[in-house]
Amino acid sequence: MAQINFGGVTEKVVLREEFPVEKAREVLKDEVIAIIGYGVQGPAQALNMKDNGFNVIIGQAPEFKEDWDKAVRDGFVPGETLFPVEEAAKKGTVIQYLVSDAAQRIIWPQLEPCLNEGDALYFSHGFSITYKEQTGVIPPKNVDVILVAPKGSGASVRTNFLAGNGINSSYAVFQDYTGKAEERALALGIAIGSGYLFPTTFENEVYSDLTGERGVLMGALAGIIEAQYKVLRDNGHSPSEAFNETVEELTQSLIRLVDQNGMDWMYANCSATAQRGALDWRHKFREATLPVFNELYESVKSGVETKRVLDSTSSTDYKTSLNAELKEMRESELWQAGAAVRKLRPKK
């Protein structure tokens, strides 16, 4: 493994240069990789592996017609490379369990008997294994249990692959029955198009993932946007001005500078007035939000968040209530203003 300095801490990572796709093909040459679930991560990982020359089949419930039909459109053939879930799982030697976290709990009693000795049970999220007391997903002792978790959505995994880039992924081994679990995980990580892989554990992956989604990546981002927009509107600023100063400049300018060279570089390429204010106020925001993040992490670690997810997503009216929440956000003045601003962007 390569030794990389991450901000003063040396970590080990696996680069494509040292574990090329040719090596992955050799490791997985006798494997049948069964993708269970053709929803979010399934299509991207399946198509990337198929394009890379691996033996991939799909397990998808035919009654979920939209996902079944998408697999057909993507070139998978019913009865040849596309099967109902249990049939695909029986045929596979690597079973990539990529249905949603809630669905993993529901399907597990049907899937577990399909696992054969020496198979690899693969996850892209540590959820079901880490919280196995809640999910009931307890693997048999005679299989490898591994994880490769791309640090991005399924759409990003596919888009980056087609662009010739890779999205970084974490990997972990929960159970090594064959003695080859880590090698299988690394090969699969390269097969799905990862740019590089870094080691983690199932627990650390899900703790960091759930915290990140509820925090900076989605929950906190939406919350502070809503708060700043409200303050500007309450003080007489127009919707277009409030949106531009809160969202548009962030997404169309500043975050791109952070992406290119880091936060300090973005600060250095803004006005002196912006620099000074940002440097002063970041400490206040950090101290104000730190207790919330500590509360969030404890909620994740204790399983409170998991219970909330499983209870809510398994209710019969979840889709209706979810659509109502999204509708409320979509139809708020903030995001209606955003829709109008986006239409005004110059066309390329």
Side-chain angles (χ1 to χ4, degrees):
M1 292 186 186
Q3 305 280 327
I4 306 294
N5 185 321
F6 289 92
V9 178
T10 300
E11 298 183 35
K12 296 178 180 180
V13 301
V14 178
L15 305 175
R16 281 194 293 199
E17 289 78 4
E18 60 183 309
F19 204 121
V21 70
E22 292 78 15
K23 182 176 179 180
R25 289 194 194 105
E26 180 61 27
V27 171
L28 301 173
K29 64 182 179 181
D30 297 323
E31 306 274 19
V32 177
I33 303 167
I35 303 285
I36 306 301
Y38 208 74
V40 179
Q41 280 286 337
Q45 295 195 31
L47 291 171
N48 289 1
M49 287 191 291
K50 182 182 177 184
D51 289 350
N52 269 333
F54 295 89
N55 186 7
V56 180
I57 63 174
I58 306 299
Q60 172 60 50
E63 55 266 30
F64 290 94
K65 193 172 186 306
E66 184 177 340
D67 292 340
W68 179 277
D69 290 347
K70 176 173 171 50
V72 172
R73 290 195 303 272
D74 286 344
F76 294 98
V77 180
E80 295 181 15
T81 54
L82 174 60
F83 306 92
V85 168
E86 292 176 53
E87 188 175 353
K90 290 175 182 176
K91 292 177 179 293
T93 58
V94 173
I95 291 80
Q96 296 195 190
Y97 205 18
L98 300 181
V99 296
S100 70
D101 295 321
Q104 287 186 13
R105 177 176 65 165
I106 295 168
I107 296 172
W108 180 247
Q110 288 75 49
L111 185 75
E112 191 211 355
C114 301
L115 301 175
N116 298 308
E117 181 178 359
D119 284 353
L121 179 61
Y122 165 115
F123 296 85
S124 282
H125 195 15
F127 189 104
S128 287
I129 294 295
T130 300
Y131 302 109
K132 53 186 176 294
E133 290 79 11
Q134 294 186 43
T135 64
V137 179
I138 301 174
K141 298 295 185 183
N142 63 352
V143 300
D144 291 342
V145 182
I146 58 179
L147 173 144
V148 176
K151 299 298 104 178
S153 66
S156 299
V157 171
R158 184 60 176 163
T159 300
N160 282 28
F161 177 85
L162 293 174
N165 306 317
I167 198 163
N168 56 307
S169 303
S170 60
Y171 77 95
V173 174
F174 177 77
Q175 185 169 285
D176 185 4
Y177 174 75
T178 66
K180 298 179 181 179
E182 183 174 25
E183 186 179 49
R184 280 169 131 178
L186 292 174
L188 289 160
I190 295 300
I192 68 169
S194 302
Y196 70 88
L197 296 126
F198 60 93
T200 188
T201 65
F202 273 67
E203 284 187 346
N204 283 349
E205 191 282 329
V206 73
Y207 292 169
S208 60
D209 186 75
L210 294 185
T211 299
E213 291 169 347
R214 284 150 180 75
V216 170
L217 301 179
M218 295 176 69
L221 180 64
I224 62 172
I225 284 173
E226 290 165 5
Q228 179 171 302
Y229 182 87
K230 183 179 189 308
V231 167
L232 292 175
R233 290 289 289 125
D234 287 350
N235 282 276
H237 297 271
S238 68
S240 62
E241 184 170 56
F243 186 87
N244 272 285
E245 294 296 343
T246 301
V247 179
E248 193 73 353
E249 190 169 353
L250 168 69
T251 59
Q252 298 304 299
S253 174
L254 299 185
I255 204 66
R256 296 178 180 183
L257 300 183
V258 176
D259 173 61
Q260 290 167 12
N261 289 298
M263 188 70 75
D264 63 309
W265 192 87
M266 184 269 278
Y267 277 28
N269 285 273
C270 290
S271 70
T273 303
Q275 290 169 7
R276 187 65 267 146
L279 287 167
D280 291 343
W281 278 88
R282 74 184 179 98
H283 302 292
K284 294 179 184 290
F285 279 107
R286 183 184 64 245
E287 295 310 310
T289 58
L290 190 57
V292 181
F293 277 100
N294 281 325
E295 180 185 353
L296 167 58
Y297 191 85
E298 184 55 38
S299 182
V300 168
K301 188 175 181 179
S302 66
V304 170
E305 291 300 309
T306 317
K307 187 176 187 305
R308 163 73 175 150
V309 169
L310 292 174
D311 287 350
S312 61
T313 56
S314 61
S315 66
T316 55
D317 65 343
Y318 176 69
K319 191 76 172 182
T320 301
S321 61
L322 170 65
N323 288 337
E325 289 180 272
L326 297 178
K327 182 175 183 289
E328 180 186 13
M329 179 184 289
R330 182 173 60 252
E331 294 183 355
S332 68
E333 182 191 275
L334 164 60
W335 292 110
Q336 287 295 302
V341 168
R342 288 192 295 275
K343 289 179 181 178
L344 294 173
R345 289 176 187 164
K347 300 294 188 293
K348 293 181 179 179

